Amino acid sequence: MPSLLGRTVQTAKFLAADPVLTAKTGQTPHEIVFRMGKSALRFFPADPEVEARRPVLISMPLINTWTIFDLLPGRSVVAKLTAAGIPVYLVDWGRPGEEDEARELSYYIDDVLGRMFDRARRHASKHYDTTELDAIGYCVGGTFLSVHLARNPEQAIRSAFVATPIDFHSSERLARWANPESFPLDTLIDSVGNYPADLMRTSFAWLKPSGQTAKWVGLWERIDQDGFPELWAALEQWSGDNVDFPGEAYREYVQRCYFDNALMTGGWVLGTQAVDLSKAKTPALVISASRDHIAPPAACGGLEKAWGAPCEVKTIRGGHVGICVGSTLAATLIEWFTQPEA
């Protein structure tokens, strides 16, 4: 174990090399098989040496890059799924521009996700001789997926929702911040258009201010632990690379989810169709993180109350982001998607 001075020098040398800039994420081999506007469907083939399972489509959050599910070799959810024989189709929403400010939420939930499921199904039919898919949603991507599957229950045989807020009024500090008395939603969006990534990143940082100190202390304490500095740098790169939220889509998302809690209470008409999770017919697994300050277990567990199909709930150890780079999440997903049909 290095001395205090030695640890400090080692940390300083590591940071001086600008490891965040040079971190290599998203390394699992894959190809883009479809594009729709800014969005892309990324295909990760299953290990050919393993019995092929039913493919899965993953809906990632609109506000982050997709690489948190493929952060580093050995720390990749998609790589572990494909190694278990599960082909993966991952929805990469891309980066919106000024021309996307007026896009409504229904465009992403109905149009884009609908096309992504269709194209994944076509591709799977040719390469795996199946038109059946499972589905995973992470964070806001899971919120979008829950609405889409409730409206289109034929899209997936089984589903899993990872750190996905459903009961938004149980989101603790974030729910207290995102309320109409303290958050001038219309003024903000009317002023800036797309909700800025920098503002979103700052807001999440202030949700848990101690986390900003803890990350530097953690690096210093574990600077000599094999693989940890590289993981730290990759996480820093990902967390510093938020994506703008298209303005009108953000306005409706905050209004209906945070202000109205409409996934639990009803009364939300998205596009021309009511949002009603009780119409869902796809068995679901809810996976929450025990130390999640963005989508706490109570917020994720709302799906069990609202979902119209059988729903299991599991809480695994970790935080909102940390569970994505641990071993438990991938193992839990593989167990869920490979268990015998009921």
Side-chain angles (χ1 to χ4, degrees):
M1 179 181 297
S3 65
L4 298 183
L5 177 59
R7 193 184 300 277
T8 302
V9 170
Q10 190 174 352
T11 303
K13 287 182 177 180
F14 172 72
L15 293 173
D18 205 354
V20 176
L21 180 65
T22 57
K24 303 294 184 183
T25 61
Q27 297 182 52
T28 301
H30 68 282
E31 62 178 317
I32 295 175
V33 295
F34 176 65
R35 291 186 183 274
M36 180 177 175
K38 306 290 177 59
S39 303
L41 185 65
R42 296 178 181 270
F43 168 61
F44 300 77
D47 184 341
E49 301 299 320
V50 178
E51 177 186 359
R53 304 283 188 167
R54 187 163 51 229
V56 63
L57 181 141
I58 302 178
S59 174
M60 297 300 293
L62 191 71
I63 58 176
N64 300 108
T65 60
W66 61 273
T67 55
I68 192 59
F69 263 34
D70 187 34
L71 197 69
L72 292 172
R75 300 278 188 172
S76 169
V77 174
V78 295
K80 290 173 182 176
L81 291 172
T82 58
I86 301 174
V88 171
Y89 297 91
L90 184 145
V91 179
D92 171 7
W93 300 97
R95 296 180 185 272
E98 292 182 3
E99 65 276 13
D100 299 302
E101 290 177 2
R103 290 212 184 270
E104 297 181 346
L105 198 57
S106 61
Y107 168 77
Y108 298 97
I109 291 177
D110 293 328
D111 299 345
V112 177
L113 269 181
R115 290 288 297 279
M116 294 298 179
F117 268 106
D118 177 67
R119 292 299 176 136
R121 189 171 287 109
R122 291 192 202 181
H123 190 274
S125 176
K126 293 179 180 179
H127 293 81
Y128 296 102
D129 195 27
T130 183
T131 58
E132 293 184 340
L133 300 173
D134 289 324
I136 298 170
Y138 172 54
C139 187
V140 179
T143 308
F144 288 10
L145 179 67
S146 71
V147 176
H148 184 82
L149 290 183
R151 295 151 87 97
N152 305 276
E154 75 286 350
Q155 295 280 41
I157 304 301
R158 284 181 178 159
S159 57
F161 297 89
V162 179
T164 294
I166 298 293
D167 182 355
F168 282 77
H169 282 186
S170 294
S171 296
E172 299 176 359
R173 180 174 293 177
L174 192 53
R176 293 193 293 272
W177 285 4
N179 72 81
E181 286 73 34
S182 60
F183 186 48
L185 174 64
D186 289 332
T187 300
L188 175 64
I189 296 305
D190 290 344
S191 300
V192 301
N194 293 333
Y195 189 77
D198 288 346
L199 182 55
M200 192 173 310
R201 181 166 55 251
T202 301
S203 300
F204 282 133
W206 277 106
L207 270 179
K208 192 176 181 181
S210 62
Q212 302 308 302
T213 301
K215 73 178 183 181
W216 296 106
V217 173
L219 174 63
W220 183 84
E221 290 179 339
R222 302 171 68 182
I223 188 66
D224 59 334
Q225 182 177 319
D226 187 36
F228 182 80
E230 292 75 19
L231 174 61
W232 184 93
L235 283 169
E236 276 294 287
Q237 183 189 89
W238 177 83
S239 64
D241 191 22
N242 286 101
V243 178
D244 292 350
F245 203 130
E248 289 306 317
Y250 183 77
R251 190 196 306 266
E252 184 168 14
Y253 168 70
V254 172
Q255 175 68 55
R256 294 306 186 186
C257 292
Y258 281 102
F259 289 4
D260 301 341
N261 205 27
L263 290 178
M264 302 300 296
T265 62
W268 181 5
V269 177
L270 177 67
T272 60
Q273 186 178 354
V275 174
D276 185 356
L277 299 189
S278 71
K279 300 293 186 182
K281 301 184 185 304
T282 308
L285 172 65
V286 172
I287 303 175
S288 62
S290 61
R291 299 191 301 275
D292 196 335
H293 64 290
I294 296 172
C300 301
L303 191 77
E304 185 181 25
K305 302 173 185 177
W307 201 241
C311 183
E312 296 184 24
V313 179
K314 292 186 177 181
T315 300
I316 62 178
R317 186 178 179 183
H320 188 77
V321 175
I323 60 170
C324 299
V325 297
S327 60
T328 305
L329 175 59
T332 303
L333 289 169
I334 292 167
E335 180 183 15
W336 171 248
F337 289 121
T338 60
Q339 63 181 293
E341 302 288 347

